Amino acid sequence: MDHIALLILGIFIAIIGIVNIMGNISTIHSYNRRKVREEDIPKYGRAVGTGTLIIGVSLIAAFVTTFWSETAMSFIVIPALVIGLGFILYAQFKYNKGIF
């Protein structure tokens, strides 16, 4: 139970991802969403939320794998972090016309 913070953080991030996928982008900082057009908000929320959900689920999966092997954590979290950040950056560049 040394990695309980990993589970809590994973659940929190996954919930934020689900909220974003549902179309509520208020959890994203205002300067990261200020140039998103009104009609693009659902697509932007889905893209950012998907990336966030991938990261959150990977943290939960990493927590579960700690019962068998702590070295497996990095094989789960690092690729998922790259993929999740890819989704988030894609949404930022496509719908917000840049990171800021």
Side-chain angles (χ1 to χ4, degrees):
M1 293 312 249
D2 295 335
H3 302 286
I4 195 75
L6 192 65
L7 176 64
I8 293 168
L9 183 64
I11 292 170
F12 178 72
I13 291 173
I15 289 171
I16 289 174
I18 292 168
V19 167
N20 290 337
I21 289 172
M22 302 295 275
N24 183 353
I25 62 170
S26 64
T27 59
I28 303 167
H29 200 281
S30 61
Y31 64 78
N32 284 332
R33 58 183 160 93
R34 70 175 171 222
K35 297 178 191 169
V36 178
R37 295 185 315 207
E38 192 72 32
E39 62 268 12
D40 289 336
I41 287 177
K43 292 182 266 186
Y44 176 73
R46 269 193 304 276
V48 172
T50 300
T52 308
L53 184 62
I54 289 170
I55 294 170
V57 169
S58 76
L59 294 176
I60 295 168
F63 170 77
V64 172
T65 61
T66 60
F67 294 114
W68 296 282
S69 170
E70 287 195 21
T71 58
M73 284 175 42
S74 61
F75 293 107
I76 295 171
V77 175
I78 293 173
L81 190 62
V82 170
I83 293 168
L85 288 175
F87 272 95
I88 293 169
L89 286 173
Y90 165 77
Q92 283 300 113
F93 283 110
K94 179 163 180 153
Y95 300 112
N96 195 47
K97 311 298 184 250
I99 296 176
F100 300 109

